[in-house]
Amino acid sequence: HVQLVESGGGSVQAGGSLELSCTTLGYPYNPYDACMAWFRQAPGKEREWVATADSQGKRRYANIAAGRFTVSQDRAKKTLTLQMNRLKVQDTAKCYCAADLERTCDSNDYLARKYPVWGLGTQVTVS
């Protein structure tokens, strides 16, 4: 049973930084080839894609993240990180890690329905 566990959320002032991590637990196979993504959902809003990274080094960003956030996947550790800089109040949201463990990323990786495995989320609050 594969699980994704997020960590690193918290409260920060506008202009500050946070780093989120997502760890894959219970994946029994090697090598680890997965497309992993960060999504976020603010109160009263739909879930939106933030960034993706796969085990081959491909990375993509939504416009909301480009230039401020950096996503990376560590294939050996089966982790995904999101370094968020210059945070804004409008970045306040619950952030979710998602993964498709059977493919590398493609041009449709901004679609939530492409990811069968999700974490429970970690809260990011910017004031």
Side-chain angles (χ1 to χ4, degrees):
H1 178 61
V2 177
Q3 291 181 296
L4 301 179
V5 180
E6 302 101 334
S7 62
S11 297
V12 66
Q13 290 190 333
S17 300
L18 282 173
E19 183 177 84
L20 306 183
S21 294
C22 172
T23 300
T24 306
L25 301 177
Y27 185 77
Y29 308 110
N30 283 303
Y32 183 72
D33 284 314
C35 181
M36 300 184 75
W38 287 103
F39 287 78
R40 71 183 190 185
Q41 188 165 18
K45 295 188 177 181
E46 293 189 353
R47 190 168 297 191
E48 62 180 350
W49 171 63
V50 177
T52 50
D54 69 15
S55 54
Q56 304 302 313
K58 293 198 295 288
R59 308 180 191 185
R60 290 190 176 92
Y61 298 91
N63 289 340
I64 54 171
R68 297 190 298 133
F69 297 176
T70 302
V71 66
S72 60
Q73 185 186 132
D74 186 320
R75 190 184 193 189
K77 296 180 179 179
K78 304 181 181 63
T79 58
L80 182 74
T81 60
L82 184 69
Q83 176 65 43
M84 303 185 294
N85 297 324
R86 303 201 311 275
L87 283 162
K88 305 174 182 179
V89 172
Q90 52 264 47
D91 291 318
T92 295
K94 194 163 187 180
C95 296
Y96 297 88
C97 178
D100 187 325
L101 302 173
E102 298 182 359
R103 65 174 181 90
T104 54
C105 294
D106 58 35
S107 58
N108 292 323
D109 49 25
Y110 61 94
L111 297 171
R113 59 179 171 82
K114 297 276 284 185
Y115 301 92
V117 185
W118 289 79
L120 297 179
T122 184
Q123 180 68 36
V124 170
T125 302
V126 186
S127 59

